[in-house]
Amino acid sequence: MTEGFVPVVVRAAKPAAWQAGKPERSIWTGIKLRGDQQVPLAAFRCDECGFLEFYASKPKPPEPKSYVADHKPKTVECIACREAVPADVDRCPHCGWSFR
C-alpha cells in the first residue's frame, strides 16, 4: 500500500481525490497539492446501513486529439457571456457582443 491523504478542499466544487505522499505545509493554501499525484476517488454507500467505501483508481489518460489542417470549429465561446456561438456569425445571438 502507498501512503497518502485526502485533502478537504472547501472552496471548489470538484470530486475528492487521493493525494500521494505525506501532507506538506503551504503558506498560501495550508497544504501543497500536486495535481499530477492526485487520483480521483469513487465512493459507494450501503443503502441499508450507510457504510461508505472509497476506491482510488488511476485516471484515464486523455484521448489523443486528431487535427485536420482545414478543420474549423462549428462553435466558439463568446468572450462576453461564455455561451456557445456558431463560428460563422459576427455577433453573439445571446448578448450581442461583436466579434469583429
Side-chain angles (χ1 to χ4, degrees):
M1 298 192 88
T2 304
E3 182 178 1
F5 62 99
V6 178
V8 177
V9 181
V10 178
R11 67 186 176 278
K14 61 182 187 176
W18 175 86
Q19 174 75 48
K22 292 184 178 184
E24 296 178 38
R25 294 186 62 80
S26 166
I27 296 171
W28 306 108
T29 60
I31 296 176
K32 290 182 183 179
L33 299 176
R34 294 182 177 86
D36 62 334
Q37 295 178 358
Q38 291 186 359
V39 180
L41 292 179
F44 297 90
R45 179 182 172 272
C46 175
D47 293 332
E48 293 179 19
C49 70
F51 179 77
L52 289 174
E53 289 184 333
F54 289 92
Y55 294 92
S57 60
K58 291 186 179 183
K60 295 179 182 176
E63 301 250 344
K65 295 180 181 178
S66 61
Y67 295 96
V68 179
D70 62 347
H71 172 70
K72 292 183 181 177
K74 294 180 183 175
T75 60
V76 294
E77 184 180 279
C78 175
I79 60 171
C81 68
R82 305 284 188 215
E83 293 288 333
V85 178
D88 59 346
V89 298
D90 293 336
R91 287 190 167 278
C92 174
H94 304 285
C95 70
W97 179 268
S98 175
F99 297 113
R100 302 284 177 223

